[in-house]
Amino acid sequence: MKITIINGSPRKNGSTAKILKKMRENFEEKEEVTVTYYDLVDYSLLDCSGCLSCYAKGICHLKDNLEDINNNVAEADALLIGSPVYVSNVPATLKKYIDRGHFVLEQSLYGKYTYAVCTYEIGGSRDVISILNKLFRISGGIILGNLQIKLPFNSNPLTLPGIEQKLEKASHHIYNSIKKKKSKKCTDRLFNWFAIRHVIRPYAVKKPKQYKAVLERWVKLRIV
């Protein structure tokens, strides 16, 4: 079982990171689990230039090692993304990754289990969770739930009463769902089928050269 955890916060040792690292510890205590953890801030990600070359070639032309993360996600069984709230949204660090992660057209999360974690002080957590869940859903992922943790700014979330038990419960739920091969919700399955068959595919097949890598990936995933 391979699990990828991505910290979308620009703070490597902030509240979001502490929660994600604790969940990593929980996973690593399970049998036959390999966890890969990323702090996106380490990659100094460049802005998406909107050139669309990735649709034809399958990789981004910008050189900042982003594809190392993408390749790991492609091999993983599950993806967890953690984010703080920045103006009722995800921080720029995470948005850059979302823009360049080959998520939607390539259906990079097709059949993978997904989970969102959000830390916040005042509000906006529902907005962030909505953004991440929408990303998971339209990229073909299987949504297992989310955590929204309210805490004072720059505090240690692991000192909150009952938080470690809460994280252990969430980690156990994710692990068991993967192990038991939990199915995607019928509504999400119908949504993905409609989006691919009636929205994305008709558009892409009209320009086979421009979307060469996308069409090849669909065949590989058997979703065409």
Side-chain angles (χ1 to χ4, degrees):
M1 183 186 299
K2 295 181 179 180
I3 300 174
T4 299
I5 299 177
I6 293 178
N7 174 24
S9 171
R11 299 162 63 90
K12 293 177 61 173
N13 297 302
S15 300
T16 305
K18 286 182 172 64
I19 289 170
L20 295 177
K21 288 176 181 177
K22 183 60 182 178
M23 294 184 74
R24 176 180 65 181
E25 291 179 11
N26 293 338
F27 289 130
E28 290 175 338
E29 292 175 355
K30 308 290 186 182
E31 293 182 357
E32 300 180 348
V33 177
T34 300
V35 183
T36 305
Y37 180 95
Y38 292 101
D39 287 306
L40 288 183
V41 70
D42 285 341
Y43 286 76
S44 300
L45 299 181
L46 300 170
D47 294 328
C48 176
S49 63
C51 68
L52 305 184
S53 63
C54 59
Y55 294 154
K57 299 178 180 179
I59 59 173
C60 181
H61 73 95
L62 299 175
K63 305 303 180 183
D64 55 9
N65 297 318
L66 172 79
E67 295 300 344
D68 292 344
I69 304 177
N70 290 337
N71 290 336
N72 181 272
V73 171
E75 296 175 356
D77 298 298
L79 172 65
L80 277 71
I81 296 181
S83 173
V85 174
Y86 276 36
V87 198
S88 295
N89 210 315
V90 299
T93 313
L94 179 52
K95 184 60 169 67
K96 288 182 181 181
Y97 173 62
I98 292 174
D99 289 346
R100 295 180 51 211
H102 308 304
F103 284 105
V104 182
L105 286 186
E106 294 91 333
Q107 291 292 286
S108 63
L109 301 181
Y110 184 80
K112 298 183 185 299
Y113 296 94
T114 61
Y115 197 89
V117 175
C118 177
T119 59
Y120 69 105
E121 182 178 24
I122 301 173
S125 64
R126 291 184 180 180
D127 298 303
V128 169
I129 293 298
S130 177
I131 289 167
L132 292 177
N133 277 348
K134 183 176 181 180
L135 171 69
F136 297 154
R137 184 171 291 109
I138 64 178
S139 302
I142 303 170
I143 300 173
L144 295 179
N146 67 81
L147 276 179
Q148 300 176 53
I149 300 175
K150 179 179 174 64
L151 69 166
F153 175 72
N154 206 30
S155 62
N156 183 354
L158 301 183
T159 63
L160 294 175
I163 189 64
E164 293 202 21
Q165 292 83 353
K166 191 173 185 178
L167 296 180
E168 170 61 31
K169 183 178 179 181
S171 303
H172 187 69
H173 164 65
I174 295 168
Y175 173 80
N176 275 344
S177 296
I178 300 171
K179 191 173 183 180
K180 295 178 181 179
K181 298 181 179 181
K182 183 177 179 179
S183 300
K184 182 183 295 187
K185 291 182 179 179
C186 291
T187 52
D188 286 346
R189 195 180 303 122
L190 179 61
F191 174 88
N192 290 142
W193 177 86
F194 182 86
I196 293 171
R197 291 283 181 172
H198 298 284
V199 180
I200 301 175
R201 187 176 185 276
Y203 184 79
V205 294
K206 293 178 181 179
K207 303 176 180 180
K209 290 185 178 180
Q210 183 175 342
Y211 293 93
K212 181 176 183 293
V214 173
L215 295 171
E216 289 176 349
R217 179 170 176 78
W218 290 353
V219 172
K220 183 178 180 181
L221 294 175
R222 299 179 181 178
I223 60 176
V224 180

